[in-house]
Amino acid sequence: MNFQPLTPDLIAAFEQIVGEAYVLTAQRAEADVYADYGRDHTEDLHFAPDVVLRPGNVDEISKIVRLCHEHHVPVTARGAGTGLSGGALPVHHGVVLSTERLNRIIQIDERNLQATVEPGVINEAFQVAVKEVGLFYPPDPASKGSCSLGGNLAHSSGGPKAVKYGTTRDYVLNLEVVLPTGDVIWTAANTLKNSTGYNLTQLMVGSEGTLGIITKVVFRLLPYPQHNILMLVPFRREEQAAEAVSAVFRAGVIPSGMEFMEREAIAWSSDYLKIPLTLPEDIKAHLLIELDGQDMDQLYKEAEQVYGVLEHYDVGEILLADNATQKDELWKIRRNIGNSVRYNSVYKEEDTVVPRAELPTLLKGVKEIGARYGFKSVCYGHAGDGNLHVNIIRGELTDEQWNVGLRQPITEIFELCVKLGGTISGEHGIGLVQKGYIGIALQETNLELMRGIKKVFDPHGILNPGKIF
Amino acid sequence: MNFQPLTPDLIAAFEQIVGEAYVLTAQRAEADVYADYGRDHTEDLHFAPDVVLRPGNVDEISKIVRLCHEHHVPVTARGAGTGLSGGALPVHHGVVLSTERLNRIIQIDERNLQATVEPGVINEAFQVAVKEVGLFYPPDPASKGSCSLGGNLAHSSGGPKAVKYGTTRDYVLNLEVVLPTGDVIWTAANTLKNSTGYNLTQLMVGSEGTLGIITKVVFRLLPYPQHNILMLVPFRREEQAAEAVSAVFRAGVIPSGMEFMEREAIAWSSDYLKIPLTLPEDIKAHLLIELDGQDMDQLYKEAEQVYGVLEHYDVGEILLADNATQKDELWKIRRNIGNSVRYNSVYKEEDTVVPRAELPTLLKGVKEIGARYGFKSVCYGHAGDGNLHVNIIRGELTDEQWNVGLRQPITEIFELCVKLGGTISGEHGIGLVQKGYIGIALQETNLELMRGIKKVFDPHGILNPGKIF
């Protein structure tokens, strides 16, 4: 791509559009604030933007993007910066366009079980707001307290509840999008069904800010499930934990959460949070299983069915959370595994995903590859979806080992995923750090189609350059 | 588009590829068989193909399409020909490529709750096959006994169960597709989640055979719901039937079916089927409400909640189906409304869709427009999704009134849909007959993007030309 540098004239034009207070440059922002816009939660990577813009509405974004399109300046949209694949990193510098000020919940439509929101709304804030009127927005990434809905859309984020309720993708009805030319469209209609032309909505979701900047979203919602049951099941053998996942579904139960945590994952996180947890020597892994619904009797029956399945495995004492505090603590442990790993060491996160029943084979393969190449990994994730997060720990690895030596084993892990019918990212996206591996998952013909689509939307290639392919 | 005529050399090449027995031309097929390949279930439209090919596998399809690409010959893929928007009509003649011989259920993967099938499999045959092993494939268009899964994918078909379970789109994990160049790709992976590049799967679903020919599908499945309750609720006022729909959802119940039928719809269908049904004079509309699940006690509780909601409306005596035969009959009546209308008269079917709570306003508007322009309509459909099928009856209308005079009122109906947050097709697709109206639902910028995408996939424009836009 042939990008142009940012000129003082362009900076002045941006100031005209968004107001001086919302234009940050290295010269006149506090150094650490400014630096933060050049990183996300991916390893320890940093790329400096030339300018950070914090527009307040769709018109401003349209004007900014139109200018950048005309002047061939890269624009990297940014939500809350919690991404794990480097999607928000401005690798070609230029403009970082933060959506943090587009943070309004515009409407919660109780008649239609829908809501219209801006992309800068924090996931959990949205969940809480709709819950207040008895409604439910299920997608809940581990970072729900800090990640933005716009970022969730960019990567089609999942979270524990995806196993029953699907990912972000499944709740989007309609998107307002600023195209790379500055034009603004709505992708669809506010309906549950739509067979009117190509599905631009689903093309936009998961496109990681390379096809347009989402400025409004219409989500569908569900009635809030009034009750839940949460159990922590300790296994003496890791593969059995992975095997039990598939067995529960085959018994006809669809849990609202089915999380796998190997011993180290749960140990590191409970230490990090200072939540005491008994971990007998012989326990190698846990499943955290949640059931939800509108009726407690029904949940007890389902729990009995789950217990029936678990009898066939070598499990320790099952902890059935008996109050809200205990449930919160268990979920907190699960959600903070990533943070606890980050607290211990820089790490690379591989977001592997396979058909659910192939999880034991994947897990074994990951450990075997790790042993062969001499790296340690902490594994956990959404076992109900076959989505295993493999955290490769830097520990004492040298720069050479870390930056070059891991390429071959990571390639082997991804090749195993594909062999098992899976792929290389379930919910984190390709972004920057998985880009080099995309050829493992997708044929060149697929990539050619994607590049062709990119060109239709973004002829000058200004939106989030250097990502995906 | 600059298409080339079919030459005898090309016909010979096709014979080479698929075998002479599977190449039909006007000269050597029975006239009525051949004519059938030129029509579907849309009004009384007919377009003659130059040749009908019935390939047996993906390789043959790839070779056919590659030849057509090189020679600029149109290819219109065809499933079972039950479409209602003219999607399978070869309006530019050329090749009709029937997928009827690709009718194998390749694998039902009970471990992963997935199945791999060919596009020519009939929807109901697939449902029955997976049910035999305790699994559930929910999408069930009214024509489920005769429509093919490939056609369902082309239009993202829905059906009564979509209200709880979503449409065809929501069950597709991965597609094998022959591109317009003859290249073959898989669009994704066999996983429940996927954030690996642009979503080509969802782009293909609903693209009505204009971007590629689907040759294999991996569907996800659910555990089969063991129980259901079905009730037929008569209303003295049509708008109240439409209003009750939204109220049921707000009470926290998600029915597995929520069908609206105005008086004439149910009367025509029961007459047509010769199923006697008492229809008191004062009953203007019915809701057919189905609840399903794994537990009968739970369903009784939900049914009570529904009854509680219905108390607030002016309803007649609710018929609670008390055995499987009665349930089948009620569903048969619902499913045969389209057939009964067709039996009575040629009709135009408008597949209107709005946010659920706007249904009363849409229904009132349709009737008001009909009264103003002097046409009769029979209305019914998937009220839970806000999807109302408006059957405009030809009756005694002249050719002029039918072909030209209805354009303005149909435009007004669609404009009303869009004004209410809806769009012009919920599950039938745009095809040929709604093509002239697409500008009501989509901005020119959206259409430009779609045309751009079409060009990326199909530079010679050979696949199903003359459809959508």
Side-chain angles (χ1 to χ4, degrees):
Chain A
M1 281 296 155
N2 212 348
F3 295 120
Q4 298 301 312
L6 263 187
T7 59
D9 279 1
L10 271 174
I11 302 271
F14 292 145
E15 286 174 352
Q16 199 72 31
I17 295 167
V18 299
E20 215 174 305
Y22 299 116
V23 178
L24 307 185
T25 61
Q27 289 73 43
R28 52 178 192 194
E30 284 182 44
D32 54 342
V33 170
Y34 195 73
D36 273 351
Y37 284 100
R39 62 171 71 97
D40 61 7
H41 285 191
T42 312
E43 303 176 27
D44 51 356
L45 300 173
H46 183 264
F47 295 83
D50 293 325
V51 64
V52 176
L53 303 179
R54 302 195 296 147
N57 58 54
V58 60
D59 287 342
E60 292 178 7
I61 294 177
S62 165
K63 284 178 187 155
I64 292 165
V65 173
R66 197 178 298 278
L67 262 183
C68 292
H69 172 70
E70 285 164 11
H71 294 269
H72 295 251
V73 171
V75 181
T76 301
R78 177 186 177 86
T82 60
L84 293 165
S85 59
L89 299 175
V91 296
H92 288 271
H93 315 289
V95 172
V96 162
L97 190 153
S98 167
T99 58
E100 64 201 290
R101 288 178 61 219
L102 281 81
N103 61 358
R104 287 181 311 146
I105 296 175
I106 297 170
Q107 194 204 8
I108 299 175
D109 175 356
E110 293 178 59
R111 289 166 67 237
N112 283 304
L113 278 62
Q114 296 182 4
T116 307
V117 301
E118 292 185 324
V121 172
I122 298 302
N123 177 296
E124 194 169 29
F126 181 50
Q127 290 193 33
V128 168
V130 302
K131 188 180 169 185
E132 272 170 20
V133 294
L135 298 177
F136 183 39
Y137 174 73
D140 60 342
S143 57
K144 67 177 181 179
S146 53
C147 64
S148 73
L149 293 169
N152 295 171
L153 288 160
H155 299 294
S156 189
S157 304
K161 294 203 189 298
V163 59
K164 178 169 178 180
Y165 292 104
T167 66
T168 307
R169 188 182 289 296
D170 299 302
Y171 291 84
V172 186
L173 300 179
N174 202 358
L175 296 171
E176 183 189 69
V177 176
V178 175
L179 297 172
T181 52
D183 290 341
V184 181
I185 62 167
W186 279 95
T187 54
N190 299 352
T191 55
L192 293 165
K193 292 158 131 180
N194 194 334
S195 291
T196 310
Y198 300 159
N199 196 325
L200 299 184
T201 311
Q202 293 299 338
L203 188 58
M204 206 56 65
V205 178
S207 67
E208 308 194 21
T210 64
L211 297 179
I213 297 175
I214 294 166
T215 46
K216 282 192 197 78
V217 197
V218 181
F219 283 115
R220 75 181 178 100
L221 302 168
L222 296 175
Y224 194 85
Q226 297 299 321
H227 303 283
N228 62 66
I229 285 178
L230 185 67
M231 54 181 101
L232 183 67
V233 187
F235 285 80
R236 295 200 179 83
R237 289 165 52 197
E238 285 166 343
E239 317 87 73
Q240 285 208 345
E243 281 162 22
V245 169
S246 207
V248 168
F249 288 90
R250 273 181 286 161
V253 177
I254 301 182
S256 54
M258 180 59 117
E259 298 290 303
F260 171 85
M261 299 172 279
E262 67 169 340
R263 184 184 174 91
E264 220 126 25
I266 201 167
W268 284 22
S269 184
S270 57
D271 275 4
Y272 168 75
L273 294 167
K274 302 191 178 24
I275 296 178
L277 200 72
T278 321
L279 269 183
E281 279 294 319
D282 60 343
I283 296 305
K284 295 293 186 296
H286 287 80
L287 286 181
L288 185 64
I289 304 177
E290 187 193 74
L291 306 167
D292 76 354
Q294 304 295 3
D295 185 66
M296 209 56 216
D297 293 342
Q298 172 67 9
L299 293 187
Y300 287 132
K301 284 185 200 170
E302 289 185 11
E304 267 171 43
Q305 282 180 279
V306 172
Y307 273 84
V309 170
L310 294 174
E311 266 172 20
H312 302 285
Y313 299 92
D314 187 13
V315 302
E317 197 179 338
I318 298 173
L319 172 64
L320 190 69
D322 60 3
N323 58 55
T325 313
Q326 200 172 23
K327 286 176 187 172
D328 285 349
E329 276 192 355
L330 288 176
W331 274 119
K332 212 169 155 190
I333 290 172
R334 164 58 190 89
R335 288 188 181 280
N336 277 279
I337 297 173
N339 289 333
S340 74
V341 173
R342 189 175 302 115
Y343 177 78
N344 277 279
S345 167
V346 169
Y347 70 102
K348 287 186 196 287
E349 173 141 357
E350 311 308 337
D351 178 34
T352 63
V353 62
V354 291
R356 184 187 292 147
E358 314 307 335
L359 204 73
T361 313
L362 174 62
L363 182 66
K364 243 174 88 178
V366 167
K367 294 298 175 183
E368 185 274 318
I369 293 165
R372 195 145 38 81
Y373 286 89
F375 65 81
K376 179 181 167 63
S377 67
V378 176
C379 294
Y380 62 98
H382 315 301
D385 299 323
N387 188 192
L388 188 74
H389 299 317
V390 179
N391 287 183
I392 300 178
I393 309 298
R394 169 132 192 191
E396 307 298 311
L397 298 183
T398 64
D399 282 357
E400 168 72 15
Q401 286 170 319
W402 182 246
N403 295 318
V404 183
L406 284 177
R407 278 187 213 152
Q408 183 55 29
I410 292 173
T411 299
E412 290 183 26
I413 290 172
F414 286 154
E415 284 171 349
L416 177 61
C417 290
V418 171
K419 201 180 121 196
L420 295 171
T423 189
I424 71 173
S425 176
E427 56 177 24
H428 293 171
I430 299 303
L432 175 67
V433 294
Q434 313 302 359
K435 188 179 141 181
Y437 303 100
I438 199 165
I440 298 170
L442 298 175
Q443 298 166 243
E444 184 54 29
T445 312
N446 296 46
L447 293 173
E448 274 304 311
L449 291 173
M450 292 181 192
R451 288 187 201 108
I453 292 168
K454 167 73 174 173
K455 202 148 193 174
V456 168
F457 280 73
D458 189 8
H460 298 173
I462 60 164
L463 276 201
N464 207 5
K467 303 297 168 62
I468 307 182
F469 39 68
Chain B
M1 283 297 156
N2 212 350
F3 296 121
Q4 298 300 313
L6 262 188
T7 59
D9 279 0
L10 271 173
I11 301 273
F14 292 146
E15 286 174 351
Q16 200 70 33
I17 295 168
V18 298
E20 215 174 305
Y22 299 117
V23 177
L24 307 186
T25 61
Q27 290 72 45
R28 51 178 192 194
E30 285 184 43
D32 54 343
V33 171
Y34 195 73
D36 273 351
Y37 285 101
R39 62 171 71 96
D40 61 7
H41 284 191
T42 311
E43 304 177 26
D44 50 357
L45 300 173
H46 183 264
F47 295 83
D50 293 325
V51 64
V52 176
L53 303 180
R54 302 195 296 147
N57 59 52
V58 60
D59 287 343
E60 293 178 8
I61 294 177
S62 166
K63 283 178 187 155
I64 292 166
V65 173
R66 197 179 298 278
L67 262 183
C68 292
H69 172 70
E70 283 163 13
H71 293 270
H72 295 251
V73 170
V75 181
T76 301
R78 177 186 178 86
T82 59
L84 293 165
S85 58
L89 300 176
V91 296
H92 288 270
H93 316 289
V95 172
V96 162
L97 190 154
S98 167
T99 58
E100 66 202 290
R101 288 178 61 219
L102 281 80
N103 61 358
R104 289 180 310 147
I105 296 175
I106 297 169
Q107 194 205 9
I108 299 175
D109 176 355
E110 294 178 58
R111 289 166 68 239
N112 283 304
L113 279 61
Q114 296 182 3
T116 305
V117 302
E118 291 184 325
V121 173
I122 299 301
N123 176 296
E124 194 168 30
F126 182 50
Q127 289 193 33
V128 168
V130 302
K131 188 179 170 185
E132 272 170 21
V133 293
L135 297 178
F136 183 39
Y137 174 71
D140 59 342
S143 56
K144 67 177 180 179
S146 53
C147 64
S148 73
L149 292 170
N152 296 172
L153 288 161
H155 300 294
S156 188
S157 303
K161 294 204 189 296
V163 59
K164 178 169 177 178
Y165 292 104
T167 68
T168 307
R169 187 182 290 295
D170 299 302
Y171 291 84
V172 186
L173 299 180
N174 202 357
L175 296 170
E176 184 189 68
V177 176
V178 175
L179 297 173
T181 51
D183 290 342
V184 181
I185 62 167
W186 279 95
T187 54
N190 300 351
T191 54
L192 294 166
K193 292 159 131 180
N194 194 334
S195 292
T196 309
Y198 300 159
N199 196 325
L200 300 183
T201 310
Q202 294 299 337
L203 188 59
M204 207 54 70
V205 177
S207 67
E208 307 194 21
T210 64
L211 297 179
I213 297 176
I214 294 165
T215 47
K216 281 192 198 79
V217 197
V218 181
F219 284 115
R220 76 181 178 99
L221 302 167
L222 296 175
Y224 194 85
Q226 297 299 322
H227 303 283
N228 62 65
I229 286 179
L230 186 65
M231 55 181 101
L232 183 67
V233 188
F235 285 80
R236 296 199 179 84
R237 288 165 53 197
E238 285 165 343
E239 317 86 72
Q240 284 207 346
E243 281 163 23
V245 168
S246 205
V248 167
F249 288 90
R250 273 180 287 159
V253 177
I254 301 183
S256 55
M258 180 59 117
E259 297 289 302
F260 171 86
M261 299 172 278
E262 67 169 342
R263 185 184 173 91
E264 219 125 29
I266 200 166
W268 284 22
S269 185
S270 57
D271 276 4
Y272 168 76
L273 294 167
K274 301 191 180 22
I275 296 177
L277 201 73
T278 322
L279 268 184
E281 280 292 320
D282 59 344
I283 295 306
K284 296 292 186 295
H286 287 81
L287 286 181
L288 186 64
I289 304 177
E290 187 193 75
L291 305 167
D292 77 354
Q294 304 295 2
D295 185 66
M296 209 56 216
D297 294 342
Q298 171 67 9
L299 293 188
Y300 287 133
K301 283 185 200 170
E302 289 184 10
E304 267 171 43
Q305 283 179 279
V306 173
Y307 273 83
V309 170
L310 294 173
E311 268 174 15
H312 302 286
Y313 298 92
D314 187 13
V315 302
E317 198 178 339
I318 297 173
L319 172 65
L320 191 69
D322 59 5
N323 58 55
T325 314
Q326 200 172 24
K327 286 177 187 171
D328 285 350
E329 277 193 354
L330 289 177
W331 273 120
K332 213 170 154 191
I333 291 173
R334 164 59 190 90
R335 288 187 182 281
N336 278 278
I337 297 172
N339 289 333
S340 74
V341 172
R342 187 176 303 114
Y343 177 78
N344 276 278
S345 167
V346 169
Y347 70 102
K348 285 185 195 289
E349 173 142 358
E350 311 308 336
D351 178 34
T352 61
V353 61
V354 291
R356 184 187 290 148
E358 315 306 334
L359 203 73
T361 313
L362 175 62
L363 182 65
K364 242 175 90 179
V366 168
K367 293 299 176 183
E368 185 275 318
I369 292 166
R372 194 144 42 80
Y373 284 89
F375 66 82
K376 180 181 166 66
S377 67
V378 176
C379 294
Y380 62 98
H382 314 300
D385 300 322
N387 188 192
L388 187 74
H389 299 318
V390 179
N391 287 184
I392 300 176
I393 309 299
R394 168 130 191 193
E396 307 298 312
L397 297 183
T398 64
D399 281 357
E400 168 72 15
Q401 286 171 319
W402 182 247
N403 294 318
V404 184
L406 284 177
R407 277 187 215 152
Q408 183 54 29
I410 292 173
T411 300
E412 290 183 26
I413 290 172
F414 287 156
E415 283 172 348
L416 176 61
C417 290
V418 172
K419 199 179 120 196
L420 295 171
T423 189
I424 71 173
S425 176
E427 57 179 20
H428 293 171
I430 298 304
L432 176 66
V433 295
Q434 313 303 358
K435 188 180 140 179
Y437 303 101
I438 200 167
I440 298 170
L442 297 175
Q443 299 166 242
E444 184 54 30
T445 311
N446 295 50
L447 294 172
E448 274 305 310
L449 291 173
M450 291 180 192
R451 288 187 201 107
I453 292 168
K454 166 73 174 172
K455 203 149 195 173
V456 168
F457 280 73
D458 188 7
H460 298 172
I462 61 164
L463 276 201
N464 207 5
K467 303 297 169 61
I468 308 182
F469 38 68

